[in-house]
């Protein structure tokens, strides 16, 4: 029953969405059929869904680690951006390096710098007790401005200067650094497989390693962890760092797999949607896989729906918002009810 | 049963007496638990009826139904022969039933009179009638020797005085029947004596009293009848006279119980042997920045249990926290095995051979959402055999935790069961298993049997004595004097952050400890 809660939440959100569609004098059945068709109707559609699901999954995995460690990472956007910047800088810096250096090197750079971005918030929390929600959000703003500066200055594509269009984007990455395509004629790239492998690795990290044990202990009961001699701030900081590293990896995968260059808007809201995907997956790395596919399909299918039934794009945002609201809300509701049941039970 | 239609006899408060309250076949089910199973219970005017049972036996559930907090699944409550339903606390208060909860329901910043009048309508409409309330409190106080100043602010009062305010509050509201939930838990032995005087006076005046407790000697001392509950059922109801502690205890637990432990005599330390734990002039600040410990010095030798008595809130919690590295030390020294650990982290203390049993086991002792196995390795997960090279070894964890669960008699369905599903006693045994399996040199042990059933308490006590014989030095902080007297080799009493006196077990009597707990040192 409890496993079904998120599914019911999504259905309820779609039901409210149907009312909104009716108010716009659109047939909800047609609209939702277009949505499903857009997300899963063809090989290309499925591939698109998976392309969107990939960064969602990577960010979501990071969120799993952070939330399991009792820290909240709202900085996915910024971490994606700096990860993507670092990957771009590395691959453009060594364009002639062989694939075996360029691709792993690019991915690692994205992870490291994303981890650094999350780690800064972690250290601030550990050393000075600064609230990580605030710092991660502020680090988002810093990342956006840093990207603006670099893409208009040092990292701008020289061709943009020559042509005078001055679009804020980097040069195209060397082809040796691209993630290989999985299905020809589609954008689906090896990053999708990579993300699933990461999900398994994060599962192993959380439940099979000392580090994961400590992160979970700290997240579930910091008092008991401290009493048992675990250095709580260290593991909170590490959880934020790992969380940032996975978001940075998402940025790396986006530039190496999809856009093949750094440009504005590379984070595409994944830093926030990834949180929802992780919550939808019950903060379990393997649960995050289907959750990411679902939210990826909503993103892709909504495009099709918008075109098919001519609804304003604001409605698509509203629909996404409803799903988020219902999923997170149902989670809170379930937890509250469980707690009330516990309190009702006789004690003392 | 038919009662004569003559006017009821009145109490000195002017209220009608409750001649008889009968609860018949009370059944209350919670998800997965039958908390009350066809419980019959009755109390009459003029008697003190004790309700005895372990935690979870269903006493509180029964009382909550009496005062309208829970609705019974099947119920029949007869008041003076008439069937009544209590759908809310207001119903039951109106019927003359008062409840004194274990945790006082008082507003500390208000005066006694204000607390008593709180929630009642004033006799002067929109204007306050606190002068009349005060007058009435004085009258009631005189009648029942419940001395309190109506204009004193509650936060200034001692715990015993606050309890008197609670009783006055109930009397003021016209309670003819008073149920007291563990009223002695927070009192010194002297205060217990005074409370019993008040209760006897009230019974003599025709009040009906329900006295809930798990302290056997108090029940024998104060009650006329006793009802013993176990696992939601009534085991027996009989007159208290002639009952022995051993008999009541075995009724409560369902098997014979050991009340006195066999204990090898304590051998005083060899001259020149260094104590295992030395605390020297320790000063520690409390949560509000005031000095909670004011120069505490003590030493515990190998093979010794030093008991620390005291009314809650006199620095015992801060002492335990300072010794386990949770609370910074302002001044003074702490040495374990001769090593200075005054400012050491919890990790360094564990490495130095110190174990600890925390007062708040659900907060500090276990991660309640972790499995039993995961909680058993909370300190030792970082090294062999539980992990190698950063990776956990599930086989070794299962093997070792299965051995600990068996060795310490922890009752759990599986090793993967979430710890929160275990009973308080089994969680405490789990913590004990973890802490003692390291064969510590020093154990800081706070309130080991609080909220723990008798069976588990007995088991925990014997394990502590076993470790004492092995040579462990134990600092036992407890508010349960029976526990301290049963286990300790020496006993100290804390009062307002100071260690009043440390005496040999043989010199420690309830009366002497009680005076020291109240701050009387001579």
């Amino acid at each position: 029953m409890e496993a079904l809660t998120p599914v019911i939440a999504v259905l309820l959100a779609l039901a409210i969405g149907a009312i909104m569609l009716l108010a716009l004098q659109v047939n909800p059945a047609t609209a939702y059929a277009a949505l499903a068709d857009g997300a899963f109707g063809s090989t290309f559609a499925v591939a698109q869904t998976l392309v969107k699901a990939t960064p969602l999954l990577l960010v979501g995995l990071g969120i799993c680690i952070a939330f399991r460690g009792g820290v909240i990472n709202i900085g996915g956007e910024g971490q994606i951006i700096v990860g993507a910047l670092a990957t771009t800088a590395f691959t453009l810096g060594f364009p002639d390096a062989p694939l075996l250096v360029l691709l792993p090197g690019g991915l690692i750079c994205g992870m490291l710098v994303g981890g650094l971005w999350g780690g800064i918030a972690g250290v601030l929390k550990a050393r000075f007790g600064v609230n990580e929600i605030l710092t991660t959000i502020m680090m988002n703003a810093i990342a956006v401005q840093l990207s603006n500066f670099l893409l208009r200055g040092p990292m701008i594509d020289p061709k943009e200067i020559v042509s005078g269009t001055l679009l804020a984007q980097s040069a195209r990455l060397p082809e040796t650094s691209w993630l290989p395509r999985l299905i020809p004629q589609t954008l689906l790239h090896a990053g999708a497989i990579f993300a699933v492998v990461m999900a398994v690795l994060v599962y192993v990290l959380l439940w099979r390693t000392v580090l994961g044990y400590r992160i979970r202990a700290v997240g579930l009961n910091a008092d008991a962890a401290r009493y048992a001699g675990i250095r709580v701030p260290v593991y909170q900081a590490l959880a934020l760092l790992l969380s940032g590293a996975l978001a940075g990896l998402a940025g790396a995968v986006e530039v190496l797999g999809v856009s093949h260059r750094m440009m504005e808007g590379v984070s595409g809201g994944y830093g926030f949607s990834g949180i929802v995907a992780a919550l939808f997956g019950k903060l379990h790395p393997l649960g995050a896989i289907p959750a990411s596919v679902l939210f990826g399909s909503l993103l892709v299918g909504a495009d099709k729906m918008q075109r098919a039934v001519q609804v304003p794009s604001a409605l698509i945002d509203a629909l996404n918002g409803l799903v988020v609201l219902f999923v997170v809300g149902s989670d809170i509701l379930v937890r509250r009810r469980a707690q009330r049941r516990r309190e009702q039970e006789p004690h003392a | 049963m038919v009662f004569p239609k003559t006017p009821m006899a009145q109490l000195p408060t002017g209220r009608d007496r409750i001649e008889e309250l009968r609860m018949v076949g009370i059944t209350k089910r919670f998800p997965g638990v039958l908390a009350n199973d066809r419980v019959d219970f009755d109390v009459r005017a003029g008697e003190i009826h004790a309700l005895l049972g372990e935690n979870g036996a269903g006493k509180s559930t029964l009382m909550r139904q009496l005062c309208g907090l829970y609705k019974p699944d099947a119920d029949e409550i007869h008041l003076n022969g008439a069937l009544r339903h209590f759908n809310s606390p207001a119903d039951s208060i109106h019927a003359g039933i008062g409840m004194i909860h274990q945790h006082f329901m008082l507003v500390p910043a208000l005066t006694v009179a204000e607390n008593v009048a709180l929630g009642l309508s004033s006799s002067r409409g929109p204007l306050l009638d606190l002068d009349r309330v005060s007058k009435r409190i004085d009258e009631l106080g005189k009648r029942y020797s419940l001395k309190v100043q109506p204009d004193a602010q509650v936060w200034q009062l001692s715990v015993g005085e606050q309890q008197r305010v609670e009783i006055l509050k109930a009397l003021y509201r016209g309670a003819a029947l008073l149920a007291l939930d563990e009223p002695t838990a927070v009192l010194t032995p002297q205060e217990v004596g005074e409370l019993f005087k008040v209760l006897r006076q009230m019974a003599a005046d025709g009040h009906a009293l329900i006295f809930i407790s798990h302290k056997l000697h108090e029940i024998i001392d104060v009650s006329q009848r006793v009802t013993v509950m176990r696992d939601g059922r009534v085991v027996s109801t009989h007159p208290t006279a002639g009952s022995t502690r051993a008999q009541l205890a075995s009724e409560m637990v369902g098997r014979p119980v050991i009340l006195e432990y066999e204990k090898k005599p304590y051998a005083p330390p060899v001259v020149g042997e260094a104590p295992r734990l030395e605390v020297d002039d320790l000063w520690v600040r409390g949560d509000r920045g005031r000095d909670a410990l004011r120069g505490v010095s003590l030493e515990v030798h190998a093979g010794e249990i030093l008991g620390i008595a005291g009314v809650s809130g006199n620095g015992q919690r801060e002492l335990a926290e300072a010794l386990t590295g949770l609370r910074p030390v302002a001044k003074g020294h702490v040495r374990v095995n001769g090593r200075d650990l005054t400012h050491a982290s919890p990790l360094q203390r564990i490495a130095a051979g110190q174990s600890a049993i925390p007062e708040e086991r659900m907060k500090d002792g276990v991660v309640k959402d972790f499995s039993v196995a995961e909680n058993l390795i909370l300190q030792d997960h970082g090294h062999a055999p539980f992990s190698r090279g950063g990776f956990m070894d599930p086989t070794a964890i299962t093997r070792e935790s299965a051995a600990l669960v068996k060795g310490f008699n922890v009752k759990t369905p599986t090793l993967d069961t979430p710890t929160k599903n275990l009973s308080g006693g089994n969680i405490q045994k789990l913590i004990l298993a973890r802490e003692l399996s390291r064969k510590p040199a020093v154990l800081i042990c706070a309130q080991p049997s609080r909220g723990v059933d008798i069976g588990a308490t007995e088991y925990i006590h014997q394990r502590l004595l076993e470790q004492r014989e092995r040579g462990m030095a134990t600092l036992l902080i407890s508010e349960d004097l029976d526990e301290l007297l049963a286990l300790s080799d020496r006993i100290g009493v804390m009062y307002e952050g100071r260690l009043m006196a440390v005496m040999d077990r043989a010199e420690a009597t309830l009366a002497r400890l009680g005076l020291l707990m109240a701050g009387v040192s001579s």
Side-chain angles (χ1 to χ4, degrees), chain A residues 23 59 62 97 181 190 241 269:
Chain A
V59 173
R181 288 272 145 86
L241 185 147

Side-chain angles (χ1 to χ4, degrees), chain A residues 188-211:
Chain A
L188 186 63
H189 54 82
I193 295 174
F194 189 59
V196 172
V197 172
M198 287 309 287
V200 175
L201 288 181
V202 169
Y203 172 79
V204 171
L205 170 84
L206 282 174
W207 277 280
R208 292 282 180 268
T209 69
V210 172
L211 176 60

Side-chain angles (χ1 to χ4, degrees), chain A residues 204 207-211 213-214 216-217 220-221 223-224 226-230 341-348, chain B residues 30 60-61 70 324 326 346-347 350 356 358 362-364 366-367 370 374 377-379 381-382 387 390-392:
Chain A
V204 171
W207 277 280
R208 292 282 180 268
T209 69
V210 172
L211 176 60
Y213 176 91
R214 290 185 180 164
R216 286 187 301 121
L220 286 171
N221 186 345
D223 289 315
R226 191 160 65 119
Y227 203 86
I230 297 172
R341 206 175 302 148
R342 263 202 301 281
E343 280 165 9
Q344 275 266 315
E345 269 169 40
H347 40 222
Chain B
F30 292 104
S60 296
T61 307
Y70 289 161
T324 46
L326 296 187
L347 190 62
I350 292 165
M362 295 313 282
K363 176 172 168 282
D364 294 322
V366 291
V367 178
F370 263 10
E374 282 176 316
I377 56 169
L378 208 50
Q379 285 95 357
H381 60 270
S387 65
F391 282 88
M392 310 294 273

Side-chain angles (χ1 to χ4, degrees), chain A:
Chain A
M1 180 61 215
E2 210 161 282
L4 278 179
T5 324
V7 180
I8 296 167
V10 170
L11 291 178
L12 281 175
L14 291 179
I16 302 221
I19 296 171
M20 289 169 27
L21 286 164
L22 283 173
L24 289 166
Q25 288 168 337
V26 173
N27 181 352
T30 327
Y32 286 148
L35 187 129
D37 184 50
F40 300 108
S42 62
T43 312
F44 183 79
V46 173
Q48 269 314 92
T49 293
L50 295 180
V51 165
K52 297 277 183 190
T54 300
L56 282 175
L57 177 55
L58 287 169
V59 173
L61 292 173
I63 298 300
C64 286
I65 297 177
F67 281 27
R68 290 271 173 189
V71 285
I72 298 184
N73 179 13
I74 312 287
E77 288 286 295
Q79 292 147 11
I80 293 172
I81 291 170
V82 292
L85 281 171
T87 304
T88 308
F90 174 80
T91 39
L92 289 177
F94 305 94
D96 302 324
L99 179 130
L100 277 177
V101 175
L102 213 49
L103 185 55
L107 292 170
I108 289 170
C109 272
M111 270 187 107
L112 283 178
V113 177
L116 171 79
W117 220 243
I120 290 173
V123 170
L124 286 173
K125 182 177 176 71
R127 288 294 298 158
F128 307 108
V130 186
N131 185 313
E132 77 279 9
I133 301 178
L134 294 179
T135 47
T136 50
I137 291 176
M138 292 194 285
M139 297 288 282
N140 283 344
I142 296 172
V144 169
Q145 296 307 327
L146 181 69
S147 163
N148 284 347
F149 163 71
L150 289 175
L151 291 182
R152 284 178 173 78
M155 279 175 75
I156 193 170
D157 186 352
K159 284 186 201 136
E160 293 290 332
I161 298 174
V162 173
S163 70
T165 44
L166 293 177
L167 218 62
Q169 61 180 25
S170 76
R172 231 162 113 94
L173 305 185
E175 273 192 49
T176 38
S177 72
W178 294 4
L179 282 161
R181 288 272 145 86
L182 293 180
I183 305 174
Q185 315 299 317
T186 71
L187 292 177
L188 186 63
H189 54 82
I193 295 174
F194 189 59
V196 172
V197 172
M198 287 309 287
V200 175
L201 288 181
V202 169
Y203 172 79
V204 171
L205 170 84
L206 282 174
W207 277 280
R208 292 282 180 268
T209 69
V210 172
L211 176 60
Y213 176 91
R214 290 185 180 164
I215 286 177
R216 286 187 301 121
V218 164
L220 286 171
N221 186 345
D223 289 315
R226 191 160 65 119
Y227 203 86
I230 297 172
R231 284 169 298 166
V232 172
V234 171
Y235 290 93
Q236 286 177 332
L238 280 173
L240 275 172
L241 185 147
L242 289 170
S243 188
L246 280 155
L249 185 60
V253 166
E254 276 300 279
V255 292
L256 296 177
V258 182
S259 61
H260 298 150
R261 64 169 88 226
M262 177 63 186
M263 51 174 81
E264 281 181 325
V266 70
S267 57
Y270 297 130
F272 299 125
S273 327
I275 299 175
V276 185
L279 289 174
F280 194 88
K282 298 269 169 212
L283 295 179
H284 193 290
L286 303 181
I289 298 174
S292 311
V293 173
L294 173 82
F295 283 94
S297 73
L298 278 179
L299 287 175
V300 177
D303 276 348
K304 175 78 185 266
M305 179 170 104
Q306 194 183 345
R307 274 178 279 125
V309 296
Q310 306 291 317
V311 289
S313 67
L315 185 91
I316 307 300
D317 291 339
L319 204 58
N320 267 326
L322 279 171
V323 173
V324 172
L325 190 71
F326 273 76
V327 168
V328 178
S330 71
D331 198 48
I332 293 169
L333 206 71
V334 165
R335 236 180 285 172
R336 180 103 33 100
R337 194 185 296 168
Q339 189 174 351
R340 205 174 314 140
R341 206 175 302 148
R342 263 202 301 281
E343 280 165 9
Q344 275 266 315
E345 269 169 40
H347 40 222

Side-chain angles (χ1 to χ4, degrees), chain B residues 227-284:
Chain B
T227 290
V228 184
M229 288 188 72
R230 186 170 74 230
D231 299 331
R233 294 203 187 94
V234 169
V235 180
S236 71
T237 300
H238 54 78
T240 316
S243 303
T244 63
R245 284 174 60 198
Q247 179 200 339
L248 289 177
S250 57
E251 278 179 359
M252 173 160 70
V253 185
R255 59 173 174 78
V257 171
I258 307 161
L259 291 171
E260 310 269 328
Y261 302 109
E262 276 179 42
K263 201 169 114 182
K264 289 203 180 132
Y266 170 62
V270 184
V271 180
E273 190 207 60
R276 286 286 175 86
L277 171 69
E278 283 175 273
V279 175
D280 186 21
D281 190 29
L282 196 67
W283 289 71
V284 168

Side-chain angles (χ1 to χ4, degrees), chain B residues 173-488:
Chain B
R173 283 163 167 70
L177 184 153
L178 212 58
L180 300 106
D181 190 3
E182 304 266 355
T184 60
V186 289
L187 303 181
T188 65
Q190 276 77 12
E191 285 174 318
V192 170
E194 284 166 38
L195 173 70
F196 284 0
K197 250 186 255 166
V198 172
L199 297 184
R200 288 194 187 101
Q201 174 68 51
M202 289 174 69
D205 282 349
H207 284 91
L209 296 168
I210 303 172
F211 179 79
I212 303 166
S213 181
H214 63 262
K215 292 190 183 163
L216 305 167
H217 60 259
E218 292 177 356
I219 284 174
I220 292 172
D221 188 4
V222 80
S223 72
Q224 282 87 53
R225 277 199 301 158
V226 57
T227 290
V228 184
M229 288 188 72
R230 186 170 74 230
D231 299 331
R233 294 203 187 94
V234 169
V235 180
S236 71
T237 300
H238 54 78
T240 316
S243 303
T244 63
R245 284 174 60 198
Q247 179 200 339
L248 289 177
S250 57
E251 278 179 359
M252 173 160 70
V253 185
R255 59 173 174 78
V257 171
I258 307 161
L259 291 171
E260 310 269 328
Y261 302 109
E262 276 179 42
K263 201 169 114 182
K264 289 203 180 132
Y266 170 62
V270 184
V271 180
E273 190 207 60
R276 286 286 175 86
L277 171 69
E278 283 175 273
V279 175
D280 186 21
D281 190 29
L282 196 67
W283 289 71
V284 168
R285 286 207 183 83
D287 291 335
R288 296 200 184 132
R290 272 184 287 172
D291 288 321
L293 287 190
R294 300 187 292 164
V296 168
S297 300
L298 55 86
E299 37 189 59
V300 192
H301 293 266
E304 182 188 36
I305 297 179
L306 173 63
I308 300 290
V311 176
S312 160
N314 276 290
Q316 301 96 309
R317 185 166 65 86
E318 288 80 0
L319 176 63
E321 286 179 354
L323 294 182
T324 46
L326 296 187
R327 192 174 278 276
V329 168
K331 216 176 97 184
H333 292 281
V334 177
R335 276 180 290 274
V336 170
N337 278 333
R339 276 179 59 188
D340 189 308
L341 291 183
T342 312
H343 303 290
S345 68
L347 190 62
Q348 288 167 312
R349 287 169 210 264
I350 292 165
Q354 176 179 298
S355 277
I357 293 176
E359 175 174 345
E360 292 184 55
R361 61 178 155 267
M362 295 313 282
K363 176 172 168 282
D364 294 322
V366 291
V367 178
K368 66 178 167 41
D369 293 303
F370 263 10
S371 72
V372 169
E374 282 176 316
N375 266 311
L376 281 168
I377 56 169
L378 208 50
Q379 285 95 357
D380 294 323
H381 60 270
H383 50 76
F386 303 115
S387 65
R388 274 169 231 280
F391 282 88
M392 310 294 273
D393 181 344
T395 325
I397 293 169
T398 307
R399 188 183 62 231
E400 301 288 324
S401 38
L404 280 179
V405 161
K406 191 153 173 278
F408 281 78
N409 204 13
V410 181
K411 288 193 195 92
T412 173
T414 69
L415 293 173
D416 295 324
T417 304
T419 304
K420 63 183 172 197
N421 294 359
L422 269 55
S423 72
N426 280 306
I427 291 175
Q428 191 71 325
K429 284 196 270 183
L430 184 161
I431 295 172
L432 197 75
R434 183 180 76 205
E435 298 301 321
L436 295 185
S437 65
R438 282 200 299 278
K439 301 223 183 320
V442 171
L443 178 72
I444 310 295
C445 182
Q447 319 291 356
S449 63
R450 178 181 286 175
V452 170
D453 57 277
I454 289 203
T457 300
E458 192 185 293
Y459 187 85
I460 290 163
H461 285 171
Q462 283 180 336
R463 280 309 177 100
L464 291 176
L465 288 174
E466 195 180 291
Q467 292 293 314
R468 165 184 173 269
E469 273 168 38
R470 185 183 61 78
M472 181 173 77
T474 308
L475 184 71
L476 174 67
I477 300 170
S478 176
E479 278 160 33
D480 182 344
L481 289 177
D482 293 336
E483 173 169 69
L484 288 172
L485 291 169
L487 299 180
S488 307

